Coordinates of all heavy atoms in Angstrom, one line a residue:
S1 N 6.4 -21.8 -2.8 CA 5.6 -21.2 -3.7 C 6.2 -20.1 -4.5 O 7.0 -19.4 -3.9 CB 4.3 -20.6 -2.9 OG 3.6 -19.8 -3.8
P2 N 6.0 -20.0 -5.8 CA 6.6 -18.9 -6.5 C 6.0 -17.6 -6.1 O 6.4 -16.5 -6.4 CB 6.2 -19.3 -7.9 CG 5.0 -20.2 -7.8 CD 5.2 -20.9 -6.6
L3 N 4.9 -17.6 -5.3 CA 4.2 -16.3 -4.9 C 4.7 -16.0 -3.5 O 4.2 -15.1 -2.9 CB 2.6 -16.5 -4.8 CG 2.0 -16.8 -6.2 CD1 0.4 -17.1 -5.9 CD2 2.2 -15.6 -7.0
T4 N 5.7 -16.5 -3.0 CA 6.2 -16.3 -1.6 C 6.5 -14.9 -1.4 O 6.0 -14.3 -0.4 CB 7.5 -17.2 -1.3 OG1 7.1 -18.5 -1.3 CG2 8.1 -16.8 0.1
V5 N 7.3 -14.3 -2.3 CA 7.7 -12.8 -2.1 C 6.5 -11.9 -2.2 O 6.3 -11.1 -1.3 CB 8.8 -12.4 -3.0 CG1 9.1 -11.0 -2.9 CG2 10.0 -13.3 -2.7
P6 N 5.7 -12.0 -3.2 CA 4.5 -11.0 -3.3 C 3.6 -11.3 -2.1 O 2.8 -10.4 -1.8 CB 3.7 -11.5 -4.5 CG 4.8 -12.1 -5.3 CD 5.7 -12.7 -4.4
M7 N 3.6 -12.5 -1.5 CA 2.7 -12.7 -0.2 C 3.3 -12.2 1.1 O 2.5 -11.8 1.9 CB 2.5 -14.2 -0.2 CG 1.6 -14.7 -1.2 SD 1.3 -16.5 -1.2 CE 0.2 -16.7 0.2
L8 N 4.7 -12.1 1.2 CA 5.2 -11.8 2.4 C 5.6 -10.3 2.4 O 5.9 -9.6 3.5 CB 6.4 -12.6 2.8 CG 7.7 -12.5 1.9 CD1 8.7 -11.4 2.3 CD2 8.5 -13.8 2.1
M9 N 5.8 -9.6 1.2 CA 6.3 -8.3 1.2 C 5.2 -7.3 1.9 O 3.9 -7.4 1.7 CB 6.5 -7.7 -0.2 CG 5.4 -7.8 -1.2 SD 6.1 -7.5 -2.9 CE 4.5 -7.2 -3.8
P10 N 5.7 -6.3 2.7 CA 4.8 -5.4 3.4 C 4.0 -4.6 2.5 O 2.9 -4.0 2.9 CB 5.7 -4.5 4.2 CG 7.0 -5.4 4.4 CD 7.1 -6.1 3.1
N11 N 4.3 -4.3 1.3 CA 3.6 -3.5 0.3 C 2.5 -4.4 -0.4 O 1.7 -3.8 -1.2 CB 4.4 -2.7 -0.7 CG 5.2 -3.8 -1.6 OD1 5.9 -4.7 -1.1 ND2 5.2 -3.6 -2.9
G12 N 2.5 -5.7 -0.1 CA 1.6 -6.6 -0.7 C 0.1 -6.2 -0.5 O -0.6 -6.2 -1.6
P13 N -0.4 -5.9 0.6 CA -1.8 -5.4 0.8 C -2.1 -4.2 -0.1 O -3.2 -4.2 -0.8 CB -1.9 -5.0 2.3 CG -0.9 -6.0 2.8 CD 0.3 -6.0 2.0
A14 N -1.3 -3.2 0.0 CA -1.5 -2.0 -0.9 C -1.5 -2.3 -2.4 O -2.3 -1.9 -3.1 CB -0.5 -0.9 -0.6
A15 N -0.5 -3.1 -2.7 CA -0.4 -3.5 -4.2 C -1.6 -4.3 -4.7 O -2.0 -4.0 -5.8 CB 0.9 -4.4 -4.4
H16 N -2.0 -5.3 -3.9 CA -3.3 -6.0 -4.4 C -4.4 -5.1 -4.6 O -5.1 -5.2 -5.6 CB -3.4 -7.2 -3.5 CG -2.6 -8.5 -3.7 ND1 -2.7 -9.2 -4.8 CD2 -1.5 -8.8 -3.0 CE1 -1.8 -10.1 -4.8 NE2 -1.0 -9.9 -3.8
V17 N -4.6 -4.3 -3.7 CA -5.8 -3.4 -3.7 C -5.7 -2.4 -4.9 O -6.5 -2.2 -5.6 CB -6.1 -2.7 -2.4 CG1 -7.2 -1.6 -2.5 CG2 -6.3 -3.6 -1.3
G18 N -4.4 -1.8 -5.0 CA -4.2 -0.9 -6.1 C -4.3 -1.5 -7.5 O -5.0 -0.9 -8.4
I19 N -3.9 -2.8 -7.6 CA -4.1 -3.5 -8.9 C -5.6 -3.7 -9.2 O -6.1 -3.5 -10.4 CB -3.4 -4.7 -9.0 CG1 -1.8 -4.5 -9.0 CG2 -3.7 -5.7 -10.2 CD1 -0.9 -5.7 -8.7
E20 N -6.3 -4.2 -8.2 CA -7.7 -4.4 -8.3 C -8.5 -3.1 -8.8 O -9.4 -3.3 -9.6 CB -8.4 -5.0 -7.1 CG -9.8 -5.3 -7.2 CD -10.4 -6.2 -6.0 OE1 -9.7 -7.2 -5.6 OE2 -11.4 -5.7 -5.4
L21 N -8.1 -2.1 -8.1 CA -8.9 -0.9 -8.5 C -8.2 0.0 -9.6 O -8.8 0.9 -10.0 CB -8.9 0.1 -7.2 CG -9.5 -0.4 -5.9 CD1 -9.5 0.5 -4.8 CD2 -11.0 -0.7 -6.3
K22 N -7.3 -0.5 -10.2 CA -6.5 0.1 -11.3 C -6.1 1.5 -11.0 O -6.1 2.5 -11.7 CB -7.4 0.1 -12.6 CG -7.7 -1.3 -13.1 CD -8.5 -1.2 -14.3 CE -8.7 -2.6 -14.9 NZ -9.3 -3.6 -14.0
A23 N -5.5 1.7 -9.6 CA -5.1 3.0 -9.1 C -3.9 3.2 -9.7 O -2.9 2.5 -9.6 CB -5.1 2.9 -7.6
R24 N -3.6 4.6 -10.3 CA -2.5 4.9 -11.0 C -1.9 6.1 -10.4 O -0.8 6.6 -11.0 CB -2.7 4.9 -12.6 CG -3.1 3.7 -13.2 CD -2.9 3.6 -14.7 NE -3.6 4.7 -15.4 CZ -4.8 4.3 -16.1 NH1 -5.2 3.0 -16.3 NH2 -5.4 5.2 -16.7
A25 N -2.5 6.8 -9.5 CA -1.9 8.0 -8.9 C -0.8 7.6 -7.9 O -0.2 8.5 -7.4 CB -3.0 8.9 -8.3
G26 N -0.8 6.3 -7.5 CA 0.3 5.9 -6.5 C -0.2 4.8 -5.6 O -1.5 4.8 -5.3
V27 N 0.6 3.9 -5.3 CA 0.3 2.9 -4.4 C 1.4 2.8 -3.3 O 2.6 2.6 -3.8 CB 0.2 1.5 -5.0 CG1 0.0 0.3 -4.0 CG2 -1.1 1.4 -6.0
H28 N 1.1 3.1 -2.0 CA 2.2 3.3 -1.0 C 1.8 2.4 0.1 O 0.7 2.0 0.4 CB 2.3 4.7 -0.6 CG 2.3 5.7 -1.7 ND1 3.5 5.8 -2.4 CD2 1.5 6.5 -2.4 CE1 3.5 6.7 -3.4 NE2 2.2 7.1 -3.4
A29 N 2.9 2.1 1.0 CA 2.8 1.3 2.0 C 3.6 1.7 3.3 O 4.7 1.2 3.5 CB 3.1 -0.3 1.7
P30 N 3.0 2.6 4.1 CA 3.9 3.1 5.2 C 4.1 1.8 6.2 O 3.1 1.0 6.5 CB 3.0 4.1 5.9 CG 2.1 4.6 4.7 CD 1.9 3.3 3.9
V31 N 5.3 1.7 6.7 CA 5.6 0.7 7.7 C 6.2 1.5 8.9 O 7.3 1.8 8.9 CB 6.6 -0.3 7.2 CG1 6.9 -1.3 8.2 CG2 6.0 -1.0 5.9
S32 N 5.3 1.8 9.8 CA 5.6 2.5 11.0 C 5.2 1.8 12.3 O 4.6 2.4 13.1 CB 5.1 4.0 10.9 OG 5.5 4.5 9.7
A33 N 5.3 0.5 12.3 CA 5.0 -0.3 13.5 C 3.5 -0.1 13.7 O 2.7 -0.1 12.8 CB 5.8 0.0 14.6
C34 N 3.1 0.2 14.9 CA 1.6 0.2 15.3 C 1.0 1.6 14.8 O -0.2 1.7 15.1 CB 1.5 0.0 16.7 SG 2.3 -1.5 17.3
A35 N 1.8 2.5 14.3 CA 1.2 3.7 13.7 C 1.0 3.7 12.2 O 0.5 4.6 11.7 CB 2.2 4.9 14.0
S36 N 1.3 2.5 11.5 CA 1.3 2.4 10.1 C -0.1 2.8 9.6 O -0.2 3.4 8.6 CB 1.7 0.9 9.7 OG 2.9 0.6 10.2
G37 N -1.1 2.2 10.0 CA -2.5 2.5 9.5 C -2.8 3.9 9.5 O -3.4 4.5 8.7
A38 N -2.5 4.6 10.7 CA -2.9 6.0 10.9 C -2.0 6.8 9.9 O -2.4 7.9 9.4 CB -2.6 6.4 12.4
E39 N -0.7 6.4 9.8 CA 0.2 7.2 8.9 C -0.3 7.1 7.4 O -0.1 8.1 6.6 CB 1.6 6.7 9.1 CG 2.6 7.5 8.3 CD 4.0 7.4 8.8 OE1 4.2 7.0 10.0 OE2 5.0 7.7 8.1
A40 N -0.9 6.0 7.1 CA -1.4 5.8 5.7 C -2.5 6.9 5.5 O -2.6 7.6 4.5 CB -2.0 4.4 5.5
I41 N -3.2 7.1 6.5 CA -4.4 8.0 6.4 C -3.8 9.5 6.4 O -4.3 10.3 5.6 CB -5.4 7.8 7.5 CG1 -6.0 6.5 7.4 CG2 -6.5 8.9 7.5 CD1 -6.9 6.1 8.6
A42 N -2.9 9.7 7.2 CA -2.2 11.1 7.2 C -1.5 11.3 5.8 O -1.5 12.4 5.2 CB -1.1 11.1 8.3
W43 N -0.9 10.3 5.3 CA -0.3 10.3 3.9 C -1.4 10.6 2.8 O -1.1 11.5 1.9 CB 0.4 9.0 3.6 CG 1.4 9.1 2.5 CD1 1.4 9.9 1.4 CD2 2.4 8.2 2.3 NE1 2.5 9.6 0.5 CE2 3.1 8.6 1.1 CE3 3.0 7.1 3.1 CZ2 4.2 7.8 0.6 CZ3 4.1 6.5 2.6 CH2 4.8 6.7 1.5
A44 N -2.5 10.1 2.9 CA -3.6 10.3 2.0 C -4.1 11.8 2.1 O -4.3 12.4 1.1 CB -4.8 9.3 2.3
Y45 N -4.2 12.2 3.3 CA -4.5 13.7 3.5 C -3.7 14.6 2.8 O -4.1 15.4 2.1 CB -4.6 14.0 5.1 CG -4.8 15.4 5.4 CD1 -6.0 15.9 5.7 CD2 -3.6 16.3 5.5 CE1 -6.3 17.2 6.1 CE2 -3.9 17.7 5.9 CZ -5.2 18.0 6.3 OH -5.4 19.3 6.7
R46 N -2.3 14.3 2.9 CA -1.4 15.2 2.3 C -1.4 15.1 0.8 O -1.2 16.2 0.1 CB 0.0 14.8 2.8 CG 0.2 15.3 4.3 CD 1.3 14.7 5.0 NE 1.5 15.3 6.4 CZ 2.1 14.7 7.4 NH1 2.6 13.5 7.1 NH2 2.1 15.3 8.6
M47 N -1.6 13.9 0.3 CA -1.7 13.7 -1.2 C -2.8 14.6 -1.8 O -2.8 15.1 -2.8 CB -1.7 12.3 -1.6 CG -0.4 11.6 -1.5 SD -0.4 9.9 -2.2 CE -0.7 10.3 -4.0
L48 N -4.0 14.4 -1.1 CA -5.2 15.1 -1.5 C -5.1 16.6 -1.4 O -5.5 17.3 -2.3 CB -6.4 14.6 -0.7 CG -6.9 13.1 -1.0 CD1 -7.8 12.7 0.2 CD2 -7.5 13.0 -2.3

């Protein structure tokens, strides 16, 4: 599939949601194993 890379890249979930919501302040994808989801929330706290 020509969509292979966009489908397998770890930032794919964030990118798709960001595009749908037209978010332009930043789209980020922490990859910290089993702490990734919590780190995303911590990152959001700091940006806000």
Side-chain angles (χ1 to χ4, degrees):
S1 170
L3 296 176
T4 294
V5 173
M7 290 173 69
L8 67 83
M9 61 191 192
N11 63 311
H16 279 286
V17 173
I19 291 168
E20 178 171 314
L21 298 179
K22 296 179 173 58
R24 298 199 296 252
V27 172
H28 306 287
V31 179
S32 306
C34 305
S36 300
E39 186 155 338
I41 294 170
W43 195 333
Y45 173 93
R46 289 166 177 155
M47 283 189 70
L48 289 165

